[in-house]
Amino acid sequence: MLPALSRAGTLCAVMGLVGMLPWISGRDPAASLLRARMGEQTPTPEALAAIRAQLGLADGPWVHLGQWLAGLVRGDWGVSWISGAPVLEGMLGALAVSWTLMAAAFGVALCCAGLIALPVLLRGLHGRPTQTAGVLAATLTALPEFMLSALFLVVFSVWLGWFPPYGWQGWSHVVLPALALGLPGGGLLGRLLGQALAASFHEAWIASWACAGISRARIARAVLRRSLPALMPQIGMIMVAMTGGAIAVEKVFSIPGLGRAVLGAASAQDLPALQAGLLLLLLNALAIGILANLIRVALLGRALTLGALPVTPPQSAPPDRRLWLVPLLVVLLLAGLVLWGLPRDPFSAQYLRLQAPGPALPLGADGLGRDVLARIAHGAFSTIGMAVLATGIALCLGLLMGMVPRLSIGLIEVTKATPPTMAALVTVAAMGPSAMGALVAVSTVAWAPLAAHTAALVAEARAKPHIAIAPVLGVGPLRLIQRSILPEVLAPVTRHAMLRLPGIALALAALGFLGLGARPPAPEWGLVLADMLPYVERAPLAVLMPVAALALLSVLGVSLAALLRR
């Protein structure tokens, strides 16, 4: 009952916030609608009053929200303030498009994750050390969807002509956006699956099964079943992100999906369309979250309730000191890039537009004649600094909320359904576009995957024999959490948070790319990409350098996570 109340309460709170967006923003919705309908004409007070009366805005946010909820009960989702057409039919059509794209992208992600985790599985079956290789996974995770979309558009549509560049008329239009959306998710899923497989191969039952002569194929199936339950919340999160979080991909390829439709409704202040789109996104996320949890419980079976899950022994062997060479090299490369460009001016337009690289201009100039190297170097402080701060906030919130999963399950699932772009729209409505607004927006949603991971690990920890019997022996709940449960979840969740550090940096860059974060002329990596993207054919090096810096940041996070193994 408590999880159901948590889901319902969170959903009502979010929809109430959405319903009050026009009033939170401080902008007059009637004026925005008149501009959308009549252009830039100066509205008269009489015209504004007539619009408010027609839309029911004069009664205030609470009355308007109550009328909308009453319409939902009757099956009336409202009509668009811009077109006057019912919003439900259009949003359902957009959701069907997003589901198709999600299915194709998730297939790409599964294939990619399988290829990344396969060496770990094979080494474990042959009794060799099961260290996970994170470079490929980190690189894929670090590739921003909007950058992949642009590159695929230029290479495979413009240069090679293999696929159509825009639209949604057939399966040929699905290939490029599915690859752009599925590869980063596959990198993340492959890394997490590799870690889970490596942990499962260290459990005692593996040796017992091998001595009993059980075939490797059966052991492989058992290891996969043992490893998948803790990953199900993350798989659900990836699927939700592919449904509603692909705004940049849908924007680049002009795909009429739900994320793009909601973004357009928010930009136009079309409140009925925005409410309907967000409600569909949230319901879709709740359904995926419930399904993922049911699959997790089914995979664990009776061991979850009987306290019979096998215990993973701690890794007593210290990590190889040579592993420090990778983060050290990455830090040196990033530091060298920053120190190389730090003395240069990132704001002065003193060069020719798109000037080619040369001795005096190592990475060339952007579309306004500014030094690209200087802008990337100065932008490292804001991008990396904000990403580290947002990751720390997300880790603390994720651990805190994940310890009380029954109470926070609704908030976790709804937050996972909210991509950073949607959170940024709400933040921008209240604070205006800014770097601080982007930090707040990303922090408010980045904790949810960590909380879901924490909740799954807490459930498995409570099912282990030595923890399940502790309350019978008189151990209090606070001491049990502090001494037994928290040590079980802290290291893997911290590694997960470090793995998400580049993704958080990419989210901040994506908000800058979409105009919802730092404002020009700030030398933020997302803005650098946005400024140079129209010129990717003429100045590819200037576009690829921010991506290369983010890839280095991702490799740094994964290599440091490997050093945190117990």
Side-chain angles (χ1 to χ4, degrees):
M1 191 65 181
L2 187 59
L5 291 176
S6 175
R7 292 185 178 100
T10 305
L11 186 61
C12 292
V14 171
M15 296 313 299
L17 178 63
V18 172
M20 291 188 291
L21 272 180
W23 290 269
I24 294 175
S25 65
R27 296 176 293 176
D28 189 353
S32 299
L33 293 177
L34 279 178
R35 282 194 297 270
R37 294 176 179 178
M38 304 175 60
E40 296 296 330
Q41 299 181 14
T42 302
T44 63
E46 293 79 9
L48 293 175
I51 289 290
R52 295 191 193 100
Q54 176 187 354
L55 301 178
L57 297 174
D59 297 328
W62 296 110
V63 174
H64 189 274
L65 181 61
Q67 294 173 349
W68 179 74
L69 293 175
L72 286 181
V73 175
R74 300 190 304 268
D76 179 13
W77 289 53
V79 297
S80 171
W81 285 357
I82 303 299
S83 65
V87 298
L88 181 57
E89 182 178 355
M91 288 297 175
L92 287 178
L95 179 60
V97 172
S98 294
W99 275 345
T100 303
L101 178 58
M102 178 201 70
F106 189 64
V108 172
L110 286 180
C111 294
C112 181
L115 292 176
I116 292 174
L118 182 60
V120 180
L121 181 63
L122 295 178
R123 286 197 298 267
L125 291 175
H126 288 84
R128 295 196 293 268
T130 53
Q131 296 180 357
T132 58
V135 176
L136 177 60
T139 303
L140 291 176
T141 306
L143 294 175
E145 290 88 350
F146 55 88
M147 185 60 208
L148 283 176
S149 300
L151 287 178
F152 290 165
L153 181 69
V154 171
V155 174
F156 297 107
S157 294
V158 178
W159 289 351
L160 300 177
W162 291 354
F163 300 99
Y166 306 109
W168 192 257
Q169 286 81 40
W171 283 104
S172 60
H173 293 82
V174 181
V175 176
L176 295 184
L179 288 173
L181 193 57
L183 288 178
L188 174 61
L189 185 58
R191 176 62 182 178
L192 294 176
L193 179 59
Q195 289 179 341
L197 290 174
S200 297
F201 275 115
H202 284 91
E203 294 176 349
W205 64 272
I206 295 291
S208 301
W209 282 36
C211 293
I214 296 177
S215 66
R216 289 175 178 173
R218 187 176 176 187
I219 293 177
R221 290 195 298 269
V223 168
L224 285 173
R225 179 169 180 172
R226 175 69 183 95
S227 304
L228 285 178
L231 296 183
M232 289 311 302
Q234 310 310 316
I235 293 175
M237 179 273 302
I238 292 173
M239 295 179 67
V240 168
M242 289 178 177
T243 307
I247 297 177
V249 176
E250 294 176 356
K251 180 179 179 181
V252 170
F253 290 101
S254 298
I255 298 174
L258 186 58
R260 185 167 173 241
V262 174
L263 180 62
S267 302
Q269 284 194 300
D270 190 353
L271 185 58
L274 178 61
Q275 287 174 319
L278 281 180
L279 182 58
L280 287 176
L281 280 175
L282 296 177
L283 292 176
N284 176 76
L286 289 176
I288 292 177
I290 293 172
L291 179 61
N293 186 61
L294 291 176
I295 295 175
R296 183 181 70 87
V297 173
L299 289 172
L300 289 174
R302 299 179 62 189
L304 185 63
T305 56
L306 297 178
L309 281 178
V311 179
T312 303
Q315 301 294 316
S316 57
D320 192 343
R321 292 185 177 181
R322 291 175 296 179
L323 292 176
W324 285 104
L325 294 177
V326 176
L328 180 61
L329 179 61
V330 172
V331 169
L332 290 177
L333 288 174
L334 287 174
L337 179 65
V338 171
L339 293 176
W340 190 18
L342 201 58
R344 310 172 73 93
D345 186 358
F347 301 106
S348 176
Q350 55 184 323
Y351 302 98
L352 297 176
R353 294 180 66 252
L354 303 177
Q355 184 172 333
L361 199 61
L363 299 182
D366 64 8
L368 297 178
R370 296 171 298 190
D371 190 341
V372 173
L373 174 60
R375 293 184 62 75
I376 293 175
H378 285 263
F381 289 100
S382 61
T383 302
I384 297 177
M386 287 195 302
V388 170
L389 181 57
T391 302
I393 295 173
L395 176 60
C396 295
L397 289 176
L399 288 171
L400 180 63
M401 301 301 289
M403 290 294 178
V404 286
R406 291 176 59 82
L407 182 62
S408 61
I409 183 64
L411 185 59
I412 292 173
E413 291 178 352
V414 170
T415 305
K416 286 196 302 180
T418 308
T421 306
M422 295 302 172
L425 291 173
V426 180
T427 305
V428 167
M431 303 174 56
S434 64
M436 182 57 65
L439 175 63
V440 171
V442 172
S443 299
T444 54
V445 298
W447 63 269
L450 301 177
H453 192 188
T454 301
L457 293 176
V458 167
E460 293 193 21
R462 290 186 181 276
K464 294 181 178 179
H466 68 286
I467 295 178
I469 202 173
V472 180
L473 301 178
V475 180
L478 292 180
R479 184 179 179 185
L480 182 65
I481 291 176
Q482 179 183 1
R483 297 291 182 87
S484 299
I485 296 179
L486 188 59
E488 290 275 344
V489 305
L490 183 59
V493 176
T494 300
R495 290 195 296 266
H496 185 184
M498 297 186 68
L499 182 60
R500 286 195 169 274
L501 175 62
I504 290 175
L506 289 173
L508 293 168
L511 296 184
F513 175 81
L514 294 172
L516 301 174
R519 307 305 298 159
E524 195 269 336
W525 286 349
L527 285 178
V528 174
L529 284 173
D531 291 340
M532 291 304 302
L533 197 56
Y535 314 108
V536 64
E537 295 182 80
R538 299 175 58 186
L541 183 61
V543 177
L544 293 176
M545 282 307 299
V547 178
L550 288 168
L552 287 175
L553 179 62
S554 178
V555 173
L556 175 63
V558 173
S559 58
L560 289 177
L563 293 172
L564 290 178
R565 293 197 310 268
R566 291 177 296 172

